[in-house]
Amino acid sequence: MRREVRKRRSTNGDVSSSSQDPQPSKVGHGSVPQPSSGAQHASGKLYEEEEDDALPDSDALPDSDDEVELDKPRPIQIVLAHEDDHNFELDESALEKILLQEHIKDLNIVVVSVAGAFRKGKSFLLDFMLRYMYNRTSPCWIGGNTEPLTGFTWRGGCERETTGIQIWSEVFVIEKPNGTKVAVLLMDTQGAFDSQSTIKDCATVFALSTMTSSVQVYNLSQNIQEDDLQHLQLFTEYGRLAMEEIYQKPFQTLMFLIRDWSYPYEHAYGLEGGRKFLEKRLQVKQNQHEELQNVRKHIHSCFSNLGCFLLPHPGLKVATNPNFDGRLNDIDEDFKNELRNLIPLLLAPENLVEKEISGSKVTCRDLVEYFKAYIKIYQGEELPHPKSMLQATAEANNLAAVAGAKDLYSKGMEQVCGGDKPYLAPSDLEQKHQDFRESAIRHFRSVKKMGGEEFCRRYQEQLEGEIEEIYANFVKHNDGKNIFYAARTPATLFAVMFAMYIISGLTGFLGMNSIAALCNLVLGMALISFCTWAYVKYSGEFREVGTAIDQIAEAIWEQVLKPMSDNLMEDHMRQSVKNSIKAGLTEQVAHHARLKTD
């Protein structure tokens, strides 16, 4: 499956995430001049007069089975989340209708995605990106004070809104300063860590969006905490596993967006304050624990460019008003000012980052194929399933208990029938096996384990199965010490040769030449097998051939010779008993006869 996404390898351009300018606006290449204060405080009326450039309203998401119409821009779901089996499905027809349009399919693509925990304002942010894209030539692109915010569906509250992955149905064609035209696609993702998503669901959505985007905005609340970095490590590693083997950083730009930043006295709002804050958070120190160092090294190794932007809280009206619909007059001025800096930082023509995979630029047509290949990988069982910290710890805890119990069993059996111990009767070996098995299971149960009774029972069953496998090996080892068992193969072959020799002679004497010839053939094969087996045992070469001869000889012994010997032994015993009884009766009769004579 990974071969479907192979690309030519070349070196990625290294894009610095730092800047000396106190108000930089650089993510990719070039910079954007900051809007003037007059533009920042322009009245809503000026914006409302530009009716031709206004952002079109969006309808509800269409069902995946409906025809995707592109005449009216709106969010289209391309990755569908199935809650019943926690699987994802790509709506190929919807994706192709958007990306395979004649005027864009061969253009290099820029994909800006927003990902992070649920109910943290990802769709809200994307709608301001849409306002910029539709009104980027206007200094008042941010909108009028009384205009509701439309585009990707969003709402207040504590329940999730977006599921799967959505993209905006209109792909924007932008001319960069060097004259080349690129296609810009905006992507919204299902929020992570809601009450209906597993860790695998969260990892799959984040990984898919990171693999297919050129700029991934990692939307976080208030701070960058250690668990945020650990989740990022898990999600990016899950994405890297699905990609072709790589010899460079697999992903492009990651922008940490810290919402509701409450410490501007330590690090100022914006990109410069975010840069200093991120450097401090991702710094690898010698006195750090190895686990903390590995997380930071992993993040640096995955992305070509790291950035951070500190965004203030939008205000209490936004957070507490259930009727808030995105009007700017309900949003704090600090938030709006920083938003005017953030959006051009990501979407201004000179800052656009074209999507690359393995050093090759990706067109809209290419991205369709990558989506198809990646979703197939995540639908299959090729990749390991990510687990929660509790589940991973419980598994490790139970596996350690299984290993300890197995070791206890193995040591006990080694003392009974180990390498230098003499042959032990099978019945005694079976009894020792049962004793040590019960001891091992008691040891497993006595260890304090996480996960609960039902979870631990699976590992007890695993322990019992592995103990039976170990016991089977000890039985073979013990049988190998039995000289008669070791001689079974040559004895069986000799018996076959002797029987065939006698039968061949008798049938030849009686004129049944065909049967005699068949017996001679079997005799010859048995002789060749015996010679081959002797060479294998002497030289140690061709062990597979020797094993096959042993198996054939054992089958002959079990199916033919042993039943015959058992029957002969049984007949002999029966005849011996009869003879003993007859002799006893004869002696009693003779004794009575002597008594009468006397």
Side-chain angles (χ1 to χ4, degrees):
M1 193 66 65
R2 298 181 186 182
R3 301 299 182 269
E4 298 181 36
V5 294
R6 179 175 297 165
K7 281 288 188 178
R8 302 187 308 274
R9 307 201 192 295
S10 64
T11 304
N12 267 343
D14 186 17
V15 185
S16 173
S17 62
S18 62
S19 174
Q20 301 302 319
D21 188 346
Q23 290 292 340
S25 54
K26 186 164 95 173
V27 172
H29 307 284
S31 60
V32 175
Q34 301 299 315
S36 65
S37 59
Q40 291 180 355
H41 298 286
S43 67
K45 183 177 291 186
L46 288 175
Y47 176 84
E48 291 167 359
E49 289 175 358
E50 299 178 0
E51 293 181 358
D52 292 340
D53 292 330
L55 173 68
D57 293 336
S58 66
D59 296 332
L61 283 173
D63 294 335
S64 59
D65 295 334
D66 294 343
E67 185 74 13
V68 177
E69 300 176 1
L70 303 180
D71 55 342
K72 189 173 185 181
R74 61 172 178 267
I76 301 295
Q77 187 141 7
I78 57 167
V79 176
L80 313 173
H82 298 302
E83 293 183 3
D84 51 350
D85 59 356
H86 293 278
N87 209 342
F88 292 90
E89 177 188 356
L90 180 67
D91 189 341
E92 295 183 12
S93 62
L95 184 65
E96 289 172 353
K97 280 186 173 65
I98 294 171
L99 293 183
L100 296 186
Q101 299 176 76
E102 283 297 325
H103 68 292
I104 63 168
K105 64 181 182 181
D106 293 319
L107 294 179
N108 292 338
I109 192 167
V110 175
V111 184
V112 178
S113 169
V114 182
F118 82 115
R119 308 310 302 152
K120 300 298 182 184
K122 298 184 296 299
S123 303
F124 179 75
L125 175 69
L126 276 160
D127 287 344
F128 280 106
M129 293 186 186
L130 285 173
R131 278 193 176 179
Y132 177 82
M133 296 306 295
Y134 280 106
N135 303 281
R136 58 188 176 276
T137 58
S138 169
C140 307
W141 63 265
I142 198 168
N145 284 329
T146 59
E147 182 180 356
L149 188 63
T150 58
F152 288 94
T153 56
W154 65 275
R155 60 177 175 80
C158 61
E159 297 299 326
R160 73 177 185 180
E161 178 69 15
T162 306
T163 60
I165 294 179
Q166 301 174 10
I167 60 175
W168 192 246
S169 64
E170 181 172 351
V171 181
F172 303 94
V173 178
I174 305 297
E175 185 174 336
K176 297 181 72 175
N178 61 8
T180 61
K181 290 184 178 181
V182 295
V184 179
L185 183 69
L186 299 183
M187 181 187 296
D188 193 9
T189 65
Q190 172 179 319
F193 312 119
D194 63 77
S195 60
Q196 301 172 59
S197 300
T198 65
I199 291 291
K200 180 178 182 293
D201 296 340
C202 301
T204 300
V205 170
F206 194 101
L208 268 176
S209 62
T210 305
M211 293 158 70
T212 53
S213 63
S214 52
V215 178
Q216 177 72 289
V217 179
Y218 189 21
N219 192 66
L220 299 173
S221 177
Q222 297 183 338
N223 211 329
I224 300 179
Q225 301 184 146
E226 194 60 32
D227 61 335
D228 297 323
L229 298 180
Q230 289 173 355
H231 288 134
L232 179 62
Q233 180 189 28
L234 170 65
F235 296 163
T236 52
E237 183 62 20
Y238 199 52
R240 189 157 64 172
L241 278 174
M243 300 183 77
E244 182 68 24
E245 290 184 8
I246 43 180
Y247 304 98
Q248 55 190 13
K249 297 181 179 181
F251 311 120
Q252 290 175 264
T253 297
L254 177 68
M255 171 67 74
F256 288 88
L257 178 61
I258 315 301
R259 309 286 287 270
D260 308 341
W261 179 249
S262 303
Y263 315 105
Y265 48 86
E266 292 185 355
H267 298 283
Y269 298 133
L271 188 67
E272 179 63 17
R275 180 187 65 80
K276 294 178 180 178
F277 173 67
L278 187 64
E279 282 182 358
K280 187 175 180 180
R281 272 289 183 268
L282 296 185
Q283 184 179 5
V284 178
K285 303 176 184 177
Q286 287 187 346
N287 60 349
Q288 274 180 326
H289 190 278
E290 183 182 1
E291 176 185 328
L292 303 179
Q293 291 184 3
N294 290 339
V295 170
R296 286 153 177 78
K297 290 176 182 177
H298 175 89
I299 293 171
H300 280 293
S301 71
C302 281
F303 293 93
S304 301
N305 179 29
L306 292 170
C308 181
F309 196 96
L310 305 179
L311 199 60
H313 195 285
L316 285 177
K317 289 184 179 180
V318 176
T320 59
N321 184 3
N323 299 317
F324 174 70
D325 58 2
R327 299 172 194 266
L328 291 180
N329 55 10
D330 292 331
I331 301 176
D332 284 2
E333 199 62 36
D334 284 345
F335 182 87
K336 290 185 284 190
N337 289 339
E338 295 303 329
L339 205 59
R340 292 185 181 98
N341 297 332
L342 170 64
I343 303 302
L345 182 71
L346 300 171
L347 296 174
E350 57 269 34
N351 294 332
L352 293 175
V353 180
E354 296 171 56
K355 177 62 184 170
E356 294 181 2
I357 294 180
S358 298
S360 300
K361 293 198 185 321
V362 175
T363 65
C364 294
R365 188 203 306 265
D366 295 335
L367 189 63
V368 173
E369 299 306 317
Y370 278 108
F371 257 112
K372 291 178 182 179
Y374 290 151
I375 201 72
K376 285 179 183 177
I377 293 174
Y378 286 116
Q379 285 174 339
E381 296 297 325
E382 183 178 353
L383 298 184
H385 286 202
K387 300 175 177 67
S388 67
M389 293 176 65
L390 172 62
Q391 187 177 4
T393 306
E395 284 188 4
N397 184 214
N398 278 271
L399 287 173
V402 168
K406 275 173 35 182
D407 186 58
L408 180 66
Y409 172 83
S410 297
K411 285 181 178 178
M413 293 294 286
E414 282 286 345
Q415 292 175 358
V416 171
C417 62
D420 57 349
K421 301 297 179 182
Y423 174 73
L424 186 66
S427 58
D428 293 340
L429 184 63
E430 172 72 19
Q431 184 59 49
K432 293 294 184 182
H433 159 67
Q434 293 297 338
D435 294 342
F436 290 129
R437 178 178 177 276
E438 292 301 322
S439 177
I441 292 174
R442 281 197 304 271
H443 174 82
F444 175 80
R445 289 175 177 169
S446 67
V447 176
K448 293 186 181 300
K449 300 179 291 297
M450 302 175 68
E453 184 65 27
E454 187 67 29
F455 187 82
C456 296
R457 188 176 296 117
R458 299 206 307 265
Y459 287 90
Q460 181 176 327
E461 293 172 357
Q462 176 183 333
L463 170 63
E464 293 171 356
E466 292 180 2
I467 284 177
E468 291 301 324
E469 292 177 3
I470 297 172
Y471 173 63
N473 290 330
F474 275 114
V475 169
K476 292 179 180 178
H477 182 66
N478 187 60
D479 288 342
K481 299 175 184 178
N482 186 346
I483 186 171
F484 295 103
Y485 183 86
R488 179 180 294 179
T489 296
T492 300
L493 294 176
F494 267 122
V496 170
M497 287 189 287
F498 180 75
M500 293 299 104
Y501 177 76
I502 297 299
I503 296 172
S504 172
L506 289 174
T507 52
F509 178 74
L510 297 173
M512 293 183 285
N513 295 328
S514 57
I515 297 177
L518 181 61
C519 291
N520 287 331
L521 176 62
V522 174
L523 188 151
M525 292 176 63
L527 180 59
I528 293 172
S529 298
F530 174 76
C531 295
T532 304
W533 179 86
Y535 176 77
V536 169
K537 293 301 179 183
Y538 173 75
S539 66
E541 300 177 1
F542 308 111
R543 295 172 61 188
E544 296 81 2
V545 177
T547 302
I549 294 173
D550 283 331
Q551 291 174 347
I552 294 171
E554 185 173 0
I556 294 172
W557 172 263
E558 294 292 338
Q559 301 296 325
V560 180
L561 299 181
K562 188 178 179 182
M564 288 176 61
S565 64
D566 290 344
N567 290 335
L568 290 172
M569 186 67 69
E570 185 179 346
D571 292 341
H572 178 72
M573 291 296 295
R574 187 182 297 114
Q575 189 63 39
S576 297
V577 170
K578 286 181 180 180
N579 292 338
S580 298
I581 294 173
K582 186 182 293 185
L585 291 173
T586 303
E587 186 177 351
Q588 287 181 1
V589 170
H591 180 68
H592 283 296
R594 283 195 301 269
L595 288 175
K596 286 181 180 181
T597 304
D598 293 342

